Amino acid sequence: MGVAGTGKTTIGPLLADRLGVPYAEGDDFHPAANIAKMTAGTPLTDEDRWPWLDAIGAWAHERGGLGGVVSSSALKRSYRDRLRSAAPGLVFLHLTGDRALIEERMSHRQGHFMPTALLDSQFATLQPLQPDEAGVSVDVAGGPEDIADRAARALAAPDGVRSADPAPTG
């Protein structure tokens, strides 16, 4: 989970590979109308998101007991609750990062429908993971392989770590 540009599509497959489970791209679950709205620079409403979240939840439910990684912004607690209602064992990986870094990365993406202009609305909507939610947060500073390694370690921690080790500095 995370705002646009945090690397969900890049980190997701890397993490799935490390965990030995399949990966599903959350954007593939969007109906065409949602993609058209975002391409036009219009933020989605909750009503736009419900069918998308239900489709992701159904995929996660089918993977119950088998494992899998699926990307989704899941910016609000209510969105994560909806996903958990379909697949109660979900554990969230919140990719976090500095707004300037994320905007810079978004500006270099090619062929993606989400414009940089919607980043502010993403941050305004974001409700970070709460202590009672199963999941970890990982900073997206660093390269994809490093981020995926830190995410895998955080998710594998036996003590239910809420946050991964900090991103390397320097």
Side-chain angles (χ1 to χ4, degrees):
M1 67 167 276
V3 300
T6 54
K8 297 180 296 290
T9 299
T10 300
I11 304 305
L14 294 172
L15 179 60
D17 185 60
R18 282 160 176 73
L19 300 176
V21 297
Y23 170 74
E25 170 54 53
D27 287 340
D28 293 344
F29 293 90
H30 273 298
N34 283 8
I35 292 177
K37 279 183 89 169
M38 290 183 285
T39 300
T42 304
L44 298 180
T45 65
D46 286 354
E47 290 72 31
D48 295 326
R49 291 179 188 275
W50 298 140
W52 173 64
L53 291 166
D54 291 342
I56 291 171
W59 185 89
H61 177 80
E62 291 172 8
R63 301 295 316 153
L66 303 172
V69 173
V70 60
S71 59
S72 166
S73 55
L75 297 176
K76 289 184 180 180
R77 170 74 185 249
S78 61
Y79 303 163
R80 297 187 298 272
D81 288 345
R82 191 165 184 124
L83 291 169
R84 276 190 294 268
S85 72
L90 279 181
V91 175
F92 289 89
L93 167 63
H94 182 186
L95 297 176
T96 65
D98 176 74
R99 189 200 182 288
L101 171 65
I102 294 168
E103 182 174 19
E104 190 270 328
R105 288 181 178 173
M106 283 182 77
S107 71
H108 294 291
R109 294 196 304 191
Q110 295 181 4
H112 196 279
F113 60 83
M114 177 67 89
T116 305
L118 289 180
L119 189 54
D120 286 336
S121 72
Q122 293 261 302
F123 273 105
T125 302
L126 177 63
Q127 296 171 346
L129 285 174
Q130 298 302 301
D132 65 327
E133 292 184 89
V136 296
S137 296
V138 174
D139 190 282
V140 296
E145 297 289 338
D146 173 59
I147 297 165
D149 287 342
R150 287 186 283 121
R153 282 195 308 271
L155 290 167
D159 58 356
V161 172
R162 296 289 314 147
S163 180
D165 54 345
T169 57

